[in-house]
Amino acid sequence: MAMRTPIESGVPDNRQYMHPALLKNYGNWRYHDRPRPGVLHHVSHTGDEVWTVRAGTQRQMDVYTIRKLCDIADTYAEGHVRFTIRSNIEFMVSDPAKVDPLIEALTSNGFPVGGTGNSVSMIAHTQGWLHCDIPGTDASGAVKALMDDLYTEFIREDMPNRVHLSTSCCEINCGGQADIAIIVQHTKPPTINHDLVANVCERPAVVARCPVAAIRPALVNGKPSLEVDEKKCICCGACYPPCPPMQINDPEHSKLAIWVGGKNSNARGKPTFMKMVASGLPNNPPRWPEVSEVVKRILYTYKADARSWERIADWVERIGWPRFFEKCDLPFTKYLIDDWRGSRSSLNASTHIRF
Ligand code: SF4
Ligand code: SF4
């Protein structure tokens, strides 16, 4: 197989980094199973076998932690690792005798082995303060606090179906669909620093950015600036990235909301969109206890009440939203859930189509 030519904006060809057994049997697997939570076993048509051990990481890692993981790969595995889309690290070995010592090395170094099958896999989170310039919270911090609480659900496969959680640190950009998602929620319009707007912002671009046309150009104290029609503003925060003087983040008024029932996969049913089920939760670092409490309440109600193989969206579909709110003991208001039928033609209806 010829290597794919690298392009400036793309990832390199992954085959150069693959475990040799995976490369040799690429696209030629006969079946796979899971001997225990956190371990995948693949058997090829050629008779080759590969065991993959999956461990959780904190995703945003310092160089010492990455070196530690690489040392484990060199000593206990066969020198190859890969990361999953949920930031788990996977070690591949072609000898079953290496699996148990590898698991022991990982767990004794603080990396739990799990995240496969019907577990709560690692929470996918957006970049947060480390990389992005617009977050209203630190997504990775809320993940760490929650995964500490859900440790046993990661290392076991006790859920009715797999559970994917996510957190997003703004309302508008890189979060995806998840069974349960924690998403920033701004509750007041941006505060404008009129002294800076003319120097920093391209005003037509900011005006065009607002989804409800709430921004218009204005002269303030003799300087070109912008103004917001606060009755129209939906507090989405879309004006803040192109114009930082329109400050939307606020220690008190930027809250967190919980959304439920999203799913990207086509397995058993169509992809589904999440719906907001709890809002106005305090953005309360470093452990976000109020958010963790609501997520765990939803998660364990689902665990106790869902039938085998129901994802959270399937479970809610079967029992209905009123019963969902009753069972989870969550207050329902008219601002929660969006069942507007017209949105079917205006929103993405497939994971294959993205904005
Ligand atoms: S979710 Fe928003 S704030 Fe967070 S990393 Fe993505 S773009 Fe930045
Ligand atoms: S927060 Fe959103 S709705 Fe409000 S002015 Fe900015 S872009 Fe418009």
Side-chain angles (χ1 to χ4, degrees), residues 190 192 203 205-217 225-229 232 238-240 246:
I192 305 176
R203 293 189 304 153
V206 185
V207 169
R209 186 87 173 229
C210 180
V212 292
I215 307 175
R216 54 190 172 229
S225 187
L226 297 162
E227 65 182 9
V228 170
D229 181 344
K232 278 189 182 173
C239 48
Y240 176 53
M246 298 187 72

Side-chain angles (χ1 to χ4, degrees), residues 196-204 206 226 242-246:
L196 292 180
V197 169
N199 301 342
V200 177
C201 313
E202 197 180 323
R203 293 189 304 153
V206 185
L226 297 162
C243 186
M246 298 187 72

Side-chain angles (χ1 to χ4, degrees), residues 109-302:
N109 278 286
F111 302 103
V113 170
T116 52
N118 294 354
S119 64
V120 176
S121 193
M122 255 302 288
I123 304 177
H125 70 78
T126 49
Q127 301 301 321
W129 290 325
L130 197 63
H131 282 291
C132 186
D133 53 1
I134 61 167
T137 184
D138 183 22
S140 53
V143 166
K144 165 74 176 132
L146 192 51
M147 281 314 275
D148 281 353
D149 284 357
L150 298 179
Y151 178 90
T152 50
E153 301 301 343
F154 179 84
I155 61 172
R156 292 186 196 152
E157 295 181 354
D158 280 350
M159 286 285 156
N161 200 336
R162 68 190 59 205
V163 180
H164 286 170
L165 309 186
S166 74
T167 66
S168 302
C169 39
C170 73
E171 291 182 17
I172 52 167
N173 283 348
C174 54
Q177 300 294 318
D179 293 290
I180 307 175
I182 304 163
I183 302 180
V184 157
Q185 178 192 29
H186 300 299
T187 59
K188 65 160 191 49
T191 308
I192 305 176
N193 182 337
H194 295 288
D195 290 335
L196 292 180
V197 169
N199 301 342
V200 177
C201 313
E202 197 180 323
R203 293 189 304 153
V206 185
V207 169
R209 186 87 173 229
C210 180
V212 292
I215 307 175
R216 54 190 172 229
L219 266 186
V220 181
N221 301 328
K223 283 188 178 174
S225 187
L226 297 162
E227 65 182 9
V228 170
D229 181 344
E230 298 197 352
K231 287 205 192 90
K232 278 189 182 173
C233 175
I234 54 171
C235 311
C236 68
C239 48
Y240 176 53
C243 186
M246 298 187 72
Q247 181 59 257
I248 188 85
N249 292 334
D250 182 282
E252 188 188 339
H253 297 285
S254 291
K255 306 280 192 185
L256 291 169
I258 310 284
W259 295 59
V260 157
K263 169 168 98 74
N264 286 319
S265 91
N266 291 307
R268 293 185 195 85
K270 287 180 187 169
T272 51
F273 286 115
M274 311 181 288
K275 311 252 190 264
M276 186 163 72
V277 298
S279 63
L281 301 171
N283 186 4
N284 191 6
R287 303 299 297 181
W288 290 268
E290 299 85 357
V291 169
S292 295
E293 195 275 319
V294 174
V295 171
K296 282 189 287 183
R297 203 183 322 157
I298 296 169
L299 187 69
Y300 288 115
T301 309
Y302 158 73

Side-chain angles (χ1 to χ4, degrees), residues 36-97:
R36 53 152 283 173
V39 179
L40 312 171
H41 170 224
H42 284 80
V43 180
S44 150
H45 284 288
T46 63
D48 288 352
E49 294 178 75
V50 174
W51 286 261
T52 303
V53 177
R54 181 181 294 177
T57 73
Q58 59 271 53
R59 179 174 173 184
Q60 294 183 337
M61 288 181 280
D62 58 89
V63 70
Y64 302 103
T65 308
I66 293 170
R67 285 199 180 130
K68 188 186 284 181
L69 286 165
C70 292
D71 286 345
I72 292 172
D74 286 337
T75 312
Y76 296 95
E78 293 167 358
H80 286 77
V81 298
R82 66 182 175 199
F83 283 92
T84 71
I85 54 169
R86 306 195 79 78
S87 309
N88 298 302
I89 188 169
E90 292 186 339
F91 300 77
M92 283 67 63
V93 293
S94 49
D95 177 358

